[in-house]
Amino acid sequence: MRTHIDTLAAVRNLGILAHVDAGKTTVTERILYATGTTHKRGEVHDGTTVTDFDPQERDRGITIFAAAVSCAWDGHRINLIDTPGHVDFADEVERSLRVLDGAVAVFDAVAGVEPQSESVWRQADRHGVPRIAFVNKLDRAGADLDRAVASIRDRLHPAPLVVQLPIGTEDGFTGVVDLVRMRSLVWGDDGTAVRGAVPEELREEAVRRRRALEEAVAERHPAALEEFCDRETLSAGTLTAALRDLTRTGDGVVVLCGSAYRNRGVEPLLDAVVAYLPSPLDVPAVRGTRDGAGQRRPADPHAPFAGLVFKVNASATGRLAYVRVYSGTIEKGDTVADPGGGRTERVARILRVMADRHVQLDRAVAGDIVALAGVKAARAGATLCDPGAPLLLEAPVTAEPVVSVAVEARRSTDTGRLATALARLAEEDPSLVVRTDTETGQTVLSGRGELHLEVAVEKIRRDGGPEVTVGRPRVAYRETVVGGVTGFAYRHVKQDGGAGQFAHVVLDVEPLGPGPGTVGFEFRSAVVGGRVPQEYVRAVEAGCRDALAEGPLGGHPVTGVRVTLTDGSTHVKDSSDTAFRTAGRLGLRAVLRACTTVLLEPVAEVTATVPEDAVGGVLGDLAARRGRVGGSENRGGAAVLTAIVPLAELFGYATRLRSRTQGRGTFTTRPAGYAPAPAPAPVR
Ligand SMILES: Nc1nc2c(ncn2[C@@H]2O[C@H](COP(=O)(O)OP(=O)(O)OP(=O)(O)O)[C@@H](O)[C@H]2O)c(=O)[nH]1
Ligand SMILES: [Mg+2]
């Protein structure tokens, strides 16, 4: 028994998170090399890395799918997930964060904190995932560790605890001083590391920085403070223990630096992962529900099995379901339940993915991340559990799709094949939604952005699917209330022989927030004297939610409203849940027609980095796209512009920006909610 627990303490489930291009895949590649998992170093630009294995990732030079690999370092097993940085694939990050115990946030030493690093940082905050920061690309011209740390402090607001001092800068960056142990580590051109004393010329600076680190730690950690007061210094042991505590509570973020591309800084990063980030035993027990009641499951190999499928890879050669085992043990040949899908599945094989090699395991215990073969239907987000002790873990949150395209098989005989291919896509990626338009009969594929849909359609082609015709991308509109109505009475009465139906409701409808961009729905009851019994109030709420599916302007979903049930009445014989649900649905539909409503469109925050001489043209173009420019600042000789732009105006923007800046401009976007769309209402 002890052995299980001991090995569990030596597991690190680690994610690599960052803005696009910060170097996550390169860091992952170097980790696999440094740990002896691979014997050659692949490059993103050559399409030879382990974790960007999808042909589209290799062609495009970006990560699209989160990839899980395992490696070993210093007696520990590290299950590592390389995540995509592009905002269209943020759902992959969300699902990965759900199963991780710790993360390395990678930053570009020239750019510092970029928009998507901020988004993933907030995502990790929400999941309570402790982090270490790695400031990468110190070899680049203009790299500056102190400036990057300042931007981490200013924009992400943690307490940065910098544990290294770089030796040399830019092209001359060769090593680091380890401020905890006060020794140096210098890498040769072949990547070999040589330990030594702190170089004489950096001695004073290193002493000053260690002092600053000690003070920052003592300020936040009572035991360290005691030692600091007694001895006026902190031992390496105390410092390490305190850094571990601060990392796990989120009261500080250890900052390391290096250049993944040049193989510098990777071993100390691995040491830090092992020393500071939590094991599965250090994180709270997972929560789930059983028959509607909350339940906790400890990371104990002897508890009933429960795991979460966070990724499904359904290729022509087979289907792998990646699972985080939260409790219990799963063995090869086991039958497990998928309570959400109402099925059972048989686990044919359990695999540990070691780069391009798969190692077969007989079992996997609580705390581990493995891939299961033979699981036929469980989708990404499904719970798998012991059929004798069913438990439903909370599924990862999937963001609502904002962009859609109509898709059609080029040959009508391929319609069935296209439906199968689309179903497979949605099974792997819950942020892709496939539906049939009720008016046009077209098949509509919706997702997070233009690139997301482009990649999905291309995947159908590359997986040997049918040829597909794709319509123009369209954004997903919403409708909202800007002027409400009070005291709207609605009676649902039906008397056609047999049991009748009677429900009478009085509704107030008002905007939910101060601005028209507020999203969400709130339902309240202000009924007094039990004039509408509680169970019928719930039925009215359900009916109102039904009515939100289609608004009065163009049949788009309605958001940003508050409905209050103020009064109503019942009939002794004819009132029922069904009658009140119908009254809620038809009643709200009628009130919405009486309210002042507006159409909303999704908007995005655009951050464009452009050469100074192109600023005028880019600003003019953003204005023509109905963009509201928020700010402009100079960063490293280039202008960084931010603007809020309707998503509908951003289709094809990448090509336009490239031509406006002769290929020197780049931009990123992130969702910024909804804003009123110009009238008249566009057709769906
Ligand atoms: N100069 C320099 N370039 C680097 C370094 N690390 C990565 N790069 C380069 O930066 C580019 C992006 O690296 P990736 O590892 O693909 O970045 P990523 O964060 O995985 O990108 P996405 O997955 O697409 O978000 C590649 O061309 C790398 O070779 C580094 O330390 N120094
Ligand atoms: Mg990558």
Side-chain angles (χ1 to χ4, degrees):
M1 245 128 285
R2 288 260 341 140
T3 53
H4 275 310
I5 302 295
D6 283 346
T7 45
L8 208 54
V11 171
R12 296 291 177 275
N13 292 315
L14 172 72
I16 312 276
L17 308 174
H19 188 84
V20 70
D21 265 3
K24 297 173 291 296
T25 301
T26 310
V27 167
T28 305
E29 193 66 23
R30 298 311 189 254
I31 286 178
L32 294 178
Y33 184 80
T35 55
T37 316
T38 54
H39 300 288
K40 62 172 182 39
R41 286 182 282 244
E43 300 299 347
V44 174
H45 52 87
D46 297 334
T48 51
T49 63
V50 169
T51 50
D52 282 356
F53 57 82
D54 185 88
Q56 285 204 71
E57 296 180 314
R58 297 194 158 185
D59 287 359
R60 293 173 193 264
I62 58 167
T63 302
I64 296 169
F65 309 103
V69 283
S70 297
C71 56
W73 180 257
D74 192 17
H76 289 68
R77 180 163 65 248
I78 301 177
N79 296 317
L80 194 160
I81 302 182
D82 174 24
T83 67
H86 195 286
V87 60
D88 279 20
F89 309 111
D91 250 67
E92 290 276 311
V93 182
E94 183 69 23
R95 274 180 284 126
S96 305
L97 276 167
R98 188 65 173 62
V99 299
L100 295 172
D101 301 322
V104 171
V106 181
F107 299 92
D108 179 324
V110 180
V113 174
E114 296 171 274
Q116 193 59 14
S117 13
E118 206 170 327
S119 302
V120 290
W121 190 270
R122 303 277 165 250
Q123 266 176 296
D125 278 344
R126 257 192 292 113
H127 288 271
V129 170
R131 270 142 283 171
I132 286 175
F134 182 70
V135 176
N136 188 33
K137 304 199 183 185
L138 267 191
D139 60 297
R140 276 187 64 190
D144 186 335
L145 176 63
D146 291 348
R147 199 182 53 218
V149 170
S151 93
I152 292 173
R153 183 187 298 114
D154 295 346
R155 299 190 59 176
L156 307 177
H157 315 295
L161 304 167
V162 185
V163 296
Q164 291 174 336
L165 168 66
I167 301 175
T169 54
E170 302 181 353
D171 231 9
F173 167 68
T174 53
V176 292
V177 174
D178 170 351
L179 296 174
V180 175
R181 287 172 201 80
M182 287 305 261
R183 62 186 186 193
S184 74
L185 199 57
V186 173
W187 288 274
D189 283 340
D190 58 353
T192 48
V194 180
R195 279 189 207 291
V198 177
E200 206 37 56
E201 66 281 11
L202 287 177
R203 179 104 212 130
E204 208 174 302
E205 181 68 12
V207 167
R208 200 176 61 73
R209 290 191 180 225
R210 187 181 209 271
R211 184 82 188 164
L213 175 65
E214 288 173 355
E215 284 171 2
V217 167
E219 213 175 282
R220 292 168 176 83
H221 194 278
L225 179 63
E226 210 169 295
E227 182 173 316
F228 190 70
C229 292
D230 284 354
R231 303 214 223 137
E232 287 184 19
T233 183
L234 291 179
S235 68
T238 307
L239 207 45
T240 306
L243 288 170
R244 172 168 49 227
D245 292 343
L246 294 175
T247 303
R248 292 177 189 186
T249 56
D251 291 319
V253 171
V254 169
V255 181
L256 294 100
C257 63
S259 160
Y261 186 62
R262 302 265 180 104
N263 312 302
R264 292 174 184 172
V266 178
E267 301 89 341
L269 177 62
L270 282 164
D271 289 339
V273 164
V274 164
Y276 306 134
L277 289 177
S279 81
L281 287 178
D282 302 319
V283 299
V286 71
R287 273 199 312 255
T289 50
R290 183 176 182 172
D291 300 330
Q295 209 179 64
R296 280 182 177 277
R297 283 277 175 87
D300 175 357
H302 303 287
F305 163 70
L308 185 82
V309 178
F310 63 97
K311 184 166 181 60
V312 169
N313 201 333
S315 71
T317 53
R319 189 178 193 269
L320 286 183
Y322 287 80
V323 174
R324 157 84 192 237
V325 183
Y326 280 101
S327 67
T329 301
I330 185 170
E331 309 221 356
K332 195 167 79 172
D334 274 357
T335 296
V336 293
D338 167 5
R343 278 179 299 260
T344 56
E345 298 265 14
R346 193 171 164 280
V347 178
R349 278 176 300 146
I350 303 175
L351 305 171
R352 185 175 307 295
V353 180
M354 315 278 292
D356 47 359
R357 253 176 334 123
H358 291 179
V359 178
Q360 297 215 22
L361 306 175
D362 290 332
R363 65 183 60 78
V365 300
D368 211 345
I369 288 180
V370 290
L372 306 181
V375 172
K376 292 196 177 66
R379 304 164 69 99
T383 302
L384 295 180
C385 62
D386 179 341
L391 182 79
L392 195 61
L393 300 171
E394 199 183 321
V397 180
T398 304
E400 277 188 40
V402 287
V403 179
S404 306
V405 287
V407 289
E408 199 182 2
R410 200 158 280 173
R411 282 187 300 272
S412 59
T413 48
D414 278 341
T415 308
R417 281 177 67 211
L418 175 61
T420 312
L422 288 171
R424 194 153 90 183
L425 283 179
E427 188 184 298
E428 285 188 30
D429 180 352
S431 61
L432 285 171
V433 177
V434 184
R435 65 183 174 87
T436 307
D437 189 305
T438 44
E439 277 168 37
T440 61
Q442 284 175 314
T443 302
V444 178
L445 178 67
S446 312
R448 294 288 296 262
E450 210 183 353
L451 180 64
H452 190 201
L453 296 180
E454 190 186 308
V455 164
V457 170
E458 177 71 12
K459 190 161 167 40
I460 295 181
R461 193 181 66 78
R462 294 200 188 216
D463 287 351
E467 286 203 46
V468 180
T469 321
V470 182
R472 278 196 324 123
R474 295 187 181 281
V475 297
Y477 290 93
R478 293 284 180 273
E479 295 177 22
T480 195
V481 170
V482 287
V485 165
T486 52
F488 190 101
Y490 188 86
R491 263 168 217 280
H492 174 62
V493 188
K494 235 171 134 184
Q495 274 156 336
D496 42 7
Q501 286 192 27
F502 179 91
H504 164 221
V505 295
V506 181
L507 302 172
D508 283 359
V509 172
E510 58 187 323
L512 186 59
T518 312
V519 293
F521 171 64
E522 203 177 287
F523 180 88
R524 294 201 290 216
S525 169
V527 176
V528 287
R531 287 173 57 81
V532 181
Q534 197 49 42
E535 75 236 53
Y536 294 161
V537 170
R538 276 196 294 273
V540 175
E541 175 173 359
C544 288
R545 288 187 187 276
D546 295 341
L548 296 175
E550 287 187 9
L553 291 176
H556 311 287
V558 179
T559 190
V561 277
R562 178 182 296 117
V563 175
T564 311
L565 177 67
T566 57
D567 199 4
S569 57
T570 57
H571 181 276
V572 263
K573 267 213 329 282
D574 292 348
S575 283
S576 64
D577 275 5
T578 316
F580 272 94
R581 185 165 182 158
T582 310
R585 176 166 55 88
L586 298 179
L588 181 57
R589 196 184 284 175
V591 202
L592 287 173
R593 277 198 294 270
C595 291
T596 316
T597 45
V598 295
L599 193 69
L600 296 176
E601 60 180 341
V603 293
E605 184 193 86
V606 173
T607 306
T609 306
V610 301
E612 289 288 355
D613 58 3
V615 169
V618 172
L619 284 178
D621 187 50
L622 284 172
R625 288 169 192 267
R626 300 190 280 126
R628 277 187 295 119
V629 176
S632 157
E633 60 176 90
N634 192 299
R635 222 179 281 165
V640 180
L641 312 172
T642 51
I644 301 290
V645 188
L647 205 59
E649 303 284 349
L650 284 175
F651 297 138
Y653 186 59
T655 318
R656 170 57 74 94
L657 185 71
R658 265 199 301 277
S659 71
R660 285 246 173 218
T661 59
Q662 284 84 43
R664 292 172 298 158
T666 58
F667 80 107
T668 56
T669 65
R670 60 175 173 170
Y674 289 88
V683 258
R684 251 193 305 175

